[in-house]
Amino acid sequence: MIIYIECVLFNNFAIDLLMLYLTLLTLKRRITLWKLILSSIIGAVYALFSPLIEFTGDIMIKILVAFIMCLITAKILSFKKLMLVFVVFLAYSFAAGGIIIGIMNLWQPFRETMSNPSNINIGLMCSIFILTLAFSRKIIQLIQKKHISEGNVKKVVINKDKKIIREQAYYDSGNTLYYKGIYPVIVMDESLKSEDKAVGHINIDTICGSTDTEVFKLEKVMVDNRIYESVYCVFNKLGNSYKILLHNDIY
């Protein structure tokens, strides 16, 4: 039997990409394309050479590779959240394997397809599924944001250092501030500031020039029963009826 290396790489790359994408969607984690691609390449390369690894502890290498893929894919905030990403990824991987085996047992043409390592049908199916999911997710986001733009002022509940803040918030589509390039940053009125210690600084461009501003961690932000974690804030003087400017990704 002739096995084409590029087919093995493509199939495993597409499968890993789909499993990682579903994991991030399930846990509502930020999806970064280059991290997904890098992790999937690592998984595909390992799958290519895994038949050459024949010793008792090879299962530990598989687990380690999967763990590294999760570590690269998701920005880890704590060990607990890392393990949650890892467990969900494994669950999807085992579920996908079970589904494939079930279809193979029930459908002869599919069994013949899967028995040929040089066939890329499974990779193509995963790729189509990924594109469909990504397109559907984007459409839903656009619909949600269009709905928000028709009623910009929202009521939010913020858990900040065990203190509950309930205020009117304005959805600011122009607010694209990110702390460390990943975490969304909202703007809060100075009157809401407490004695919390800043976790870092962020550079903000204003009409008066660039300014270095302290950044504070928020435990949770809830908007219309949607809960957002890993959100940060900066304080400024807001001279309007609302005291919070929401981020473009928080709606």
Side-chain angles (χ1 to χ4, degrees):
M1 178 184 296
I2 299 175
I3 299 177
Y4 295 97
I5 292 177
E6 62 271 21
C7 295
V8 175
L9 286 173
F10 174 72
N11 283 336
N12 284 280
F13 172 81
I15 293 171
D16 288 337
L17 189 65
L18 176 59
M19 297 302 104
L20 290 169
Y21 188 79
L22 287 174
T23 298
L24 296 182
L25 281 182
T26 301
L27 297 177
K28 297 181 180 180
R29 301 297 298 270
R30 182 173 175 80
I31 297 173
T32 306
L33 183 59
W34 72 267
K35 290 183 178 181
L36 279 176
I37 292 175
L38 177 59
S39 298
S40 301
I41 289 175
I42 292 174
V45 171
Y46 169 76
L48 179 64
F49 291 100
S50 61
L52 303 178
I53 304 175
E54 296 181 357
F55 63 93
T56 306
D58 61 341
I59 184 64
M60 297 304 299
I61 295 182
K62 293 180 180 179
I63 294 175
L64 178 61
V65 171
F67 186 82
I68 292 173
M69 291 168 64
C70 293
L71 185 62
I72 293 173
T73 302
K75 179 66 178 180
I76 305 306
L77 305 175
S78 66
F79 181 74
K80 180 180 179 180
K81 292 184 178 180
L82 169 59
M83 292 307 299
L84 183 59
V85 171
F86 181 56
V87 169
V88 173
F89 174 65
L90 290 182
Y92 273 124
S93 299
F94 282 120
I99 291 172
I100 291 175
I101 293 174
I103 297 177
M104 286 176 62
N105 292 332
L106 294 175
W107 191 21
Q108 177 67 23
F110 187 77
R111 180 161 64 248
E112 295 175 354
T113 295
M114 293 299 296
S115 63
N116 182 5
S118 296
N119 199 307
I120 63 171
N121 285 350
I122 186 66
L124 288 175
M125 289 191 312
C126 288
S127 300
I128 293 172
F129 193 30
I130 293 171
L131 292 174
T132 302
L133 279 176
F135 180 77
S136 301
R137 179 172 176 264
K138 191 64 178 179
I139 292 298
I140 291 174
Q141 287 179 337
L142 291 175
I143 293 174
Q144 288 177 328
K145 288 188 177 183
K146 183 179 184 301
H147 174 71
I148 290 294
S149 65
E150 295 171 354
N152 281 341
V153 179
K154 312 294 292 182
K155 286 187 177 181
V156 301
V157 178
I158 296 177
N159 190 338
K160 182 177 181 291
D161 193 29
K162 299 181 180 179
K163 177 183 177 182
I164 304 299
I165 299 174
R166 291 180 173 85
E167 288 289 345
Q168 291 282 91
Y170 187 85
Y171 170 70
D172 184 6
S173 60
N175 178 11
T176 57
L177 294 174
Y178 287 99
Y179 177 56
K180 294 185 177 180
I182 297 176
Y183 309 112
V185 177
I186 67 176
V187 182
M188 300 176 64
D189 189 76
E190 291 179 343
S191 63
L192 302 177
K193 189 174 182 179
S194 60
E195 298 300 322
D196 297 343
K197 184 178 179 180
V199 296
H201 292 78
I202 186 175
N203 188 266
I204 300 178
D205 293 323
T206 67
I207 57 175
C208 299
S210 297
T211 178
D212 191 59
T213 306
E214 291 182 326
V215 180
F216 298 83
K217 179 72 171 67
L218 302 177
E219 294 179 25
K220 287 184 180 180
V221 177
M222 185 170 69
V223 182
D224 290 344
N225 295 321
R226 288 188 294 273
I227 297 177
Y228 300 87
E229 296 182 347
S230 307
V231 177
Y232 292 76
C233 74
V234 296
F235 291 98
N236 205 339
K237 189 172 183 179
L238 302 178
N240 298 287
S241 58
Y242 45 83
K243 294 187 176 182
I244 298 171
L245 292 179
L246 293 177
H247 189 273
N248 184 47
D249 287 343
I250 300 177
Y251 49 87

